C-alpha cells in the first residue's frame, strides 16, 4: 500500500502534481503524528479462505459487477474503470492495515474485544432456549408502583454452558397491553454472561417484559473489525466527465485506496469533511472534472461458517425472552407538576441514565417534563421562524410531515422522495415561516455538481451553521446516524469535531438560535451488512463525548428510548412515533 499520494488542489492539473512531488503530501502526514496500530485479527484473513463463502455472495439485490474482465487502463470508460482485481468490492483479500485509529480513540467495548477470535461454531453463541430470565422479587408481596422491577438474564450457549462473557446488545421494553402503556428499560452488563435489567414502574397491572438481543457480542465485534480493516463495509464511486469522456473511480472516507497512484482529495467538495477518490486514469481528466459521487457497492469479504450463521440470522429485532410481571398500587397522578419542557435545563436532556420517556395510547411523554403544546401552539411558535432539519431520510420525513401540517408551499426541491438527497425548502408567507431540509454530506447516498456551480461543493452541517446570521429566530436540528453505520464510528467523531467549531460560533453569534441534536433510533434489518442500528449505542456515546461542552446550550433528543417504547422496526419511523418526535423537539424549542 506504500507510495500513495494525496492530491491537494493547487490550481494545477493532477498530472503536473506527479512531476512536482514537493507540492504533494504523503499519506501518513494526514493522520495523527503518533498513530497506534490496531492489531489485525486473524479470523478474517486466515480462517476465512474459502472463496465460495463471502459477505455478499448470493445477496438479493447485489448486482453482478465486472463479470468478464478486470482492467484499470487509461482508456477505460465509465464503471469499467472499477474492474481491477484489488478492488475491495470484488476481492475479499484486499484489506488495509489500518494504523489511522489510535487506541486512545476507541470506545471501551471495542478496546475490550480487540482480541476476540473467530466465530467457528454457532452452538457457542447465545441460545435463547438455553438461557434464563427471571424476575427478582426483593420485597414480600411483589412490586408496587414506584419501585424498579429487576430482571436477571443469564445467557447460555447451545451446549448449555454459560457464555462467561458480556458484550451482547441486550434491549428491553415493558408493555401493559390493556392500557397501551410501554417503556424502555436499562441493562447492566456484568461481563460474565449475566445482565441485570431495571425497569421503572409507573402504572399497575400485568406487564410483559420483552427482552431482545439483536446483536450478539460476536456480531458487534465482526462489524467493528471489518470497518477498521476495510475502511468501510460500503464503497462509493466518483464520476468524472469532460466532453464525451467519462471515467469512474473508487471513493471512501479514507485515502488508502488500492491501485491508485494519485488520490483526489475531495474534502473541499464534501464541505471540508474528509473524503477521497481515486484520480481518473485518463490524462485528459483531472480531479476538478468530478460531476457526482454516490453509492457503489458493499465490500466482499470472506467469512467463516460461524459468521455465515450470523449473516443468515434474519430479523435483528428478535425476541430473546419474555416474562410477565404483576404491579400493584396506586398510580401517581402528579405529572402535571412537572416543569414544561421548554423550562427544563438543556443539560437534563442529555441525561439518559434512566428511561427518558414512555408511550401511552400512542402518545409519548418525557419523564422529566411535560409537553404542553397543542397543534395550534406549535403553529404559533413557528411564526417568524426558519426551521432547518439536517441529516438523512428520517429528517426528510420530518420536513414532509411538518410541511403538510403547517401548509407550507414547496419552493425548492420536490415535495416527496423523488431525488430525495437534494435540498428541499418550503415557505408560508402568511406567518413568515421557512422550513429547510439539508442532507448531511457524504456518506449520503449521492451528491452531484449543480448546473450553476463552477466547482462542486456540498454543504456540510458545519458550513450550514456558519451561514446562520446574527439575527432572526432559528430552530436547527443536527443528525448523523444511519448512513454512517457502514463506517467506523470515528468518522462521526471527526464530523462532530468539525461541527463543534461552527456550532460554538453560531450559538455565540445568534441568541435566538435553538439547536437540538437528534439521537439514533432503533429499527430492524434483515441482512448483516445493511444500514442497521448496531452502531446506535456507539453513536450515542460519541455524541455524548464530543458535544459535552454544549450540554447547557443544546438539547438532546433521545429517540433510542422512544423507538424502544413504540417497538419501532422501520428505519423510517411511522405514525404515531414520527409526530411525537416533532412534538418533543417543539416541546423543548417553543415557549
Amino acid at each position: 500500500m506504500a507510495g500513495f499520494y494525496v492530491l491537494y488542489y493547487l490550481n494545477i492539473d493532477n498530472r503536473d502534481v506527479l512531476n512536482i512531488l514537493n507540492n504533494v503530501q504523503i499519506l501518513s502526514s494526514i493522520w495523527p503524528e503518533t498513530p497506534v496500530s490496531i492489531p489485525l485479527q486473524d479470523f478474517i484473513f486466515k480462517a476465512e479462505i474459502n472463496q465460495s463463502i463471502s459477505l455478499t455472495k448470493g445477496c438479493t439485490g447485489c448486482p453482478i459487477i465486472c463479470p468478464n474482465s478486470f482492467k484499470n487502463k487509461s482508456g477505460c470508460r465509465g464503471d469499467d474503470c472499477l474492474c481491477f482485481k484489488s478492488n475491495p468490492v470484488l476481492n475479499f483479500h484486499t484489506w488495509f492495515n489500518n494504523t489511522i485509529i489510535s487506541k486512545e480513540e476507541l470506545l471501551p467495548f471495542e478496546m475490550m474485544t480487540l482480541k476476540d477470535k473467530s466465530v467457528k461454531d454457532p452452538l457457542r453463541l447465545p441460545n435463547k432456549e438455553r438461557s434464563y430470565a427471571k424476575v427478582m422479587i426483593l420485597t414480600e408481596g411483589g412490586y408496587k408502583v414506584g419501585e424498579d422491577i429487576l430482571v436477571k438474564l443469564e445467557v447460555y450457549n447451545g451446549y448449555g454452558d454459560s457464555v462467561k462473557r458480556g458484550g451482547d446488545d441486550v434491549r428491553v421494553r415493558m408493555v401493559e397491553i390493556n392500557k397501551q402503556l410501554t417503556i424502555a428499560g436499562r441493562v447492566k452488563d456484568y461481563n460474565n454472561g449475566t445482565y441485570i435489567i431495571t425497569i421503572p414502574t409507573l402504572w399497575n397491572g400485568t406487564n410483559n417484559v420483552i427482552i431482545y438481543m439483536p446483536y450478539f457480542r460476536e456480531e458487534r465485534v465482526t462489524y467493528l473489525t471489518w470497518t477498521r480493516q476495510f475502511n468501510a463495509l460500503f464503497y462509493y464511486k466518483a464520476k468524472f466527465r469532460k466532453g464525451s469522456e467519462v471515467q469512474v473511480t473508487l471513493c471512501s472516507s479514507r485515502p488508502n485506496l488500492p491501485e491508485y497512484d494519485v488520490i483526489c482529495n475531495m474534502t473541499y467538495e464534501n464541505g471540508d469533511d474528509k473524503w477521497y477518490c481515486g484520480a481518473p486514469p485518463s490524462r485528459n481528466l483531472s480531479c476538478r472534472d468530478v460531476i457526482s459521487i454516490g453509492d457503489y457497492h458493499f465490500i466482499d469479504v470472506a467469512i467463516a461458517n460461524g459468521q455465515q450463521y450470523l449473516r443468515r440470522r434474519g430479523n435483528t429485532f428478535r425476541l430473546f425472552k419474555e416474562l410477565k410481571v404483576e404491579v400493584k398500587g396506586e398510580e401517581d397522578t402528579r405529572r402535571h407538576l412537572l416543569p414544561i419542557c421548554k423550562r427544563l435545563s438543556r443539560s437534563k436532556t442529555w441525561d439518559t441514565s434512566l428511561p427518558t420517556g414512555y408511550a401511552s395510547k400512542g402518545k409519548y411523554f418525557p419523564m422529566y417534563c411535560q409537553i404542553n403544546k397543542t397543534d395550534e401552539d406549535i403553529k404559533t411558535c413557528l411564526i417568524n421562524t426558519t426551521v432547518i432539519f439536517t441529516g438523512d431520510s428520517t429528517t426528510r420525513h420530518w420536513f414532509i410531515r411538518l410541511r403538510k401540517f403547517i401548509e407550507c408551499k414547496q419552493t425548492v426541491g420536490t415535495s416527496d422522495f423523488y431525488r430525495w438527497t437534494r435540498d428541499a425548502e418550503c415557505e408560508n408567507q402568511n406567518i413568515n415561516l421557512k422550513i429547510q431540509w439539508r442532507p448531511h454530506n457524504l456518506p449520503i447516498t449521492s451528491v452531484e455538481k449543480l448546473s450553476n456551480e463552477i466547482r462542486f461543493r456540498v454543504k456540510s452541517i458545519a458550513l450550514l451553521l456558519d451561514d446562520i446570521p446574527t439575527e432572526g429566530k432559528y430552530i436547527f436540528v443536527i443528525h448523523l446516524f444511519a448512513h454512517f453505520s457502514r463506517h467506523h464510528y470515528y468518522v462521526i467523531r471527526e464530523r462532530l469535531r468539525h461541527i463543534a467549531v461552527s456550532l460554538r460560533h453560531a450559538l455565540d453569534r445568534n441568541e435566538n438560535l435553538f439547536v437540538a441534536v437528534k439521537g439514533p433510533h432503533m429499527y430492524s434489518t434483515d441482512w448483516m451488512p445493511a444500514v442497521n442500528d448496531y452502531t446506535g449505542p456507539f453513536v450515542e456515546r460519541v455524541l455524548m463525548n464530543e458535544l459535552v461542552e454544549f450540554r447547557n446550550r443544546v438539547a438532546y433528543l433521545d429517540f433510542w428510548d422512544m423507538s424502544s417504547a413504540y417497538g419501532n422496526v422501520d428505519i423510517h419511523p411511522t405514525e404515531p412515533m414520527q409526530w411525537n418526535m416533532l412534538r418533543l423537539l417543539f416541546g423543548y424549542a417553543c415557549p
Side-chain angles (χ1 to χ4, degrees):
M1 305 298 172
F4 288 162
Y5 301 97
V6 179
L7 175 63
Y8 280 80
Y9 290 122
L10 302 169
N11 296 319
I12 48 179
D13 187 83
N14 57 359
R15 302 306 172 198
D16 296 329
V17 174
L18 292 176
N19 298 324
I20 47 174
L21 293 182
N22 288 334
N23 290 329
V24 180
Q25 289 194 331
I26 305 300
L27 178 68
S28 59
S29 66
I30 294 175
W31 310 121
E33 294 182 2
T34 56
V36 181
S37 177
I38 303 301
L40 292 176
Q41 310 300 306
D42 61 7
F43 74 85
I44 288 183
F45 306 113
K46 293 181 182 178
E48 291 73 355
I49 58 176
N50 183 350
Q51 296 191 22
S52 64
I53 303 177
S54 68
L55 182 65
T56 58
K57 183 177 178 61
C59 80
T60 303
C62 291
I64 298 174
I65 300 176
C66 306
N68 301 316
S69 62
F70 293 90
K71 56 190 175 182
N72 188 19
K73 299 179 180 179
S74 61
C76 66
R77 292 187 60 82
D79 283 8
D80 284 349
C81 298
L82 297 171
C83 297
F84 54 93
K85 289 186 178 180
S86 61
N87 185 331
V89 165
L90 307 172
N91 189 327
F92 53 69
H93 292 298
T94 301
W95 50 269
F96 307 97
N97 186 357
N98 233 331
T99 61
I100 62 178
I101 313 173
S102 168
K103 282 188 177 180
E104 287 72 22
E105 294 281 329
L106 297 183
L107 293 176
F109 174 84
E110 190 167 11
M111 280 295 298
M112 177 182 72
T113 59
L114 278 175
K115 299 294 184 180
D116 280 20
K117 296 299 180 181
S118 170
V119 180
K120 295 182 174 65
D121 182 359
L123 289 177
R124 296 289 179 190
L125 296 169
N127 183 283
K128 68 179 183 179
E129 282 76 23
R130 300 273 191 170
S131 298
Y132 301 92
K134 60 182 179 182
V135 178
M136 301 168 65
I137 304 294
L138 303 182
T139 58
E140 186 176 352
Y143 284 103
K144 296 181 176 61
V145 173
E147 299 177 338
D148 287 340
I149 294 174
L150 298 179
V151 176
K152 184 178 183 181
L153 174 65
E154 295 180 294
V155 180
Y156 289 76
N157 63 28
Y159 292 106
D161 302 323
S162 173
V163 295
K164 301 293 185 184
R165 92 289 179 275
D168 299 308
D169 186 350
V170 179
R171 308 176 188 178
V172 63
R173 61 192 292 252
M174 187 172 75
V175 180
E176 211 292 350
I177 297 177
N178 293 329
K179 297 180 180 180
Q180 300 178 50
L181 293 161
T182 58
I183 191 171
R186 288 294 178 264
V187 180
K188 181 174 177 58
D189 183 354
Y190 284 85
N191 290 315
N192 61 3
T194 299
Y195 301 85
I196 299 297
I197 295 165
T198 305
I199 311 169
T201 58
L202 306 179
W203 53 78
N204 55 34
T206 301
N207 296 274
N208 288 1
V209 175
I210 306 168
I211 303 170
Y212 301 96
M213 195 179 290
Y215 308 100
F216 300 153
R217 169 178 172 143
E218 291 76 9
E219 286 170 297
R220 304 174 83 193
V221 170
T222 299
Y223 286 131
L224 290 171
T225 306
W226 284 344
T227 56
R228 285 199 309 270
Q229 296 169 7
F230 292 91
N231 285 338
L233 299 184
F234 196 87
Y235 275 82
Y236 301 77
K237 61 183 181 180
K239 179 181 288 187
F240 300 85
R241 183 174 65 196
K242 179 182 288 184
S244 61
E245 187 166 11
V246 177
Q247 291 189 327
V248 175
T249 67
L250 200 65
C251 300
S252 185
S253 61
R254 289 293 175 259
N256 45 342
L257 298 168
E259 290 196 26
Y260 291 103
D261 293 329
V262 179
I263 301 295
C264 293
N265 184 351
M266 297 297 184
T267 299
Y268 174 87
E269 281 75 3
N270 200 36
D272 298 334
D273 285 322
K274 293 177 182 177
W275 200 261
Y276 305 90
C277 301
S282 171
R283 296 182 63 87
N284 299 322
L285 293 170
S286 74
C287 296
R288 290 288 186 92
D289 295 318
V290 63
I291 60 170
S292 66
I293 303 173
D295 283 358
Y296 174 31
H297 203 277
F298 292 99
I299 62 168
D300 199 16
V301 52
I303 56 178
N305 290 331
Q307 291 165 331
Q308 178 80 336
Y309 167 80
L310 293 177
R311 187 188 76 162
R312 293 175 173 174
R313 209 155 67 96
N315 190 306
T316 56
F317 235 105
R318 307 174 189 90
L319 175 66
F320 196 74
K321 287 291 177 182
E322 184 174 9
L323 38 80
K324 292 187 181 297
V325 181
E326 189 73 27
V327 177
K328 301 177 181 179
E330 294 296 322
E331 298 179 2
D332 194 332
T333 59
R334 295 174 298 171
R335 180 172 175 79
H336 65 282
L337 299 179
L338 291 172
I340 64 171
C341 291
K342 175 64 177 179
R343 295 176 185 167
L344 188 72
S345 67
R346 298 281 185 270
S347 61
K348 192 60 178 176
T349 66
W350 292 85
D351 181 2
T352 60
S353 57
L354 299 174
T356 56
Y358 64 94
S360 174
K361 297 181 179 178
K363 196 172 183 179
Y364 194 72
F365 295 87
M367 292 286 277
Y368 305 126
C369 62
Q370 54 177 317
I371 302 173
N372 66 337
K373 299 294 176 285
T374 65
D375 288 359
E376 289 304 313
D377 290 335
I378 293 174
K379 291 179 180 180
T380 300
C381 169
L382 294 178
I383 295 173
N384 298 321
T385 303
T386 298
V387 179
I388 302 175
F389 297 138
T390 70
D392 53 28
S393 54
T394 61
T395 50
R396 174 81 179 206
H397 274 278
W398 282 16
F399 169 83
I400 294 172
R401 180 70 172 83
L402 188 60
R403 180 187 60 79
K404 293 178 179 178
F405 167 74
I406 210 74
E407 298 179 354
C408 192
K409 182 180 179 182
Q410 193 88 23
T411 55
V412 175
T414 61
S415 59
D416 53 21
F417 258 74
Y418 176 70
R419 298 203 172 186
W420 72 269
T421 58
R422 293 184 174 182
D423 293 353
E425 188 171 329
C426 70
E427 184 174 0
N428 184 322
Q429 294 182 350
N430 294 329
I431 61 173
N432 191 27
L433 167 69
K434 289 183 179 179
I435 306 172
Q436 302 173 4
W437 178 77
R438 300 291 184 255
H440 66 64
N441 50 2
L442 293 163
I444 199 70
T445 301
S446 65
V447 295
E448 57 189 357
K449 183 178 180 180
L450 302 179
S451 59
N452 61 346
E453 283 186 309
I454 297 175
R455 182 173 175 183
F456 184 9
R457 183 158 167 84
V458 179
K459 282 274 192 178
S460 63
I461 294 177
L463 293 180
L464 289 169
L465 284 166
D466 289 340
D467 289 341
I468 298 293
T470 57
E471 296 181 350
K473 180 183 172 185
Y474 285 80
I475 296 174
F476 193 104
V477 175
I478 297 170
H479 180 56
L480 301 169
F481 178 40
H483 289 265
F484 291 83
S485 66
R486 299 179 296 200
H487 303 257
H488 196 277
Y489 56 77
Y490 70 75
V491 178
I492 283 187
R493 176 182 282 129
E494 289 181 340
R495 299 296 168 88
L496 291 173
R497 290 176 179 176
H498 183 200
I499 288 170
V501 177
S502 299
L503 177 57
R504 190 179 308 119
H505 294 323
L507 290 169
D508 290 342
R509 188 169 60 248
N510 188 328
E511 63 180 11
N512 293 314
L513 168 64
F514 174 88
V515 178
V517 174
K518 177 179 180 284
H521 65 285
M522 295 184 190
Y523 58 90
S524 174
T525 54
D526 291 325
W527 191 45
M528 192 174 180
V531 174
N532 59 50
D533 72 351
Y534 95 94
T535 59
F538 303 139
V539 170
E540 182 176 87
R541 183 47 44 198
V542 171
L543 288 168
M544 295 289 176
N545 292 345
E546 296 301 325
L547 300 179
V548 63
E549 70 168 283
F550 299 104
R551 290 191 181 186
N552 291 320
R553 308 181 73 185
V554 171
Y556 182 68
L557 305 175
D558 175 29
F559 293 135
W560 197 254
D561 277 358
M562 182 186 288
S563 52
S564 176
Y566 280 114
N568 181 69
V569 296
D570 198 327
I571 190 172
H572 301 123
T574 55
E575 296 295 3
M577 182 175 163
Q578 188 181 122
W579 180 243
N580 277 279
M581 297 169 93
L582 286 167
R583 282 185 66 249
L584 184 63
L585 167 65
F586 294 125
Y588 290 141
C590 296

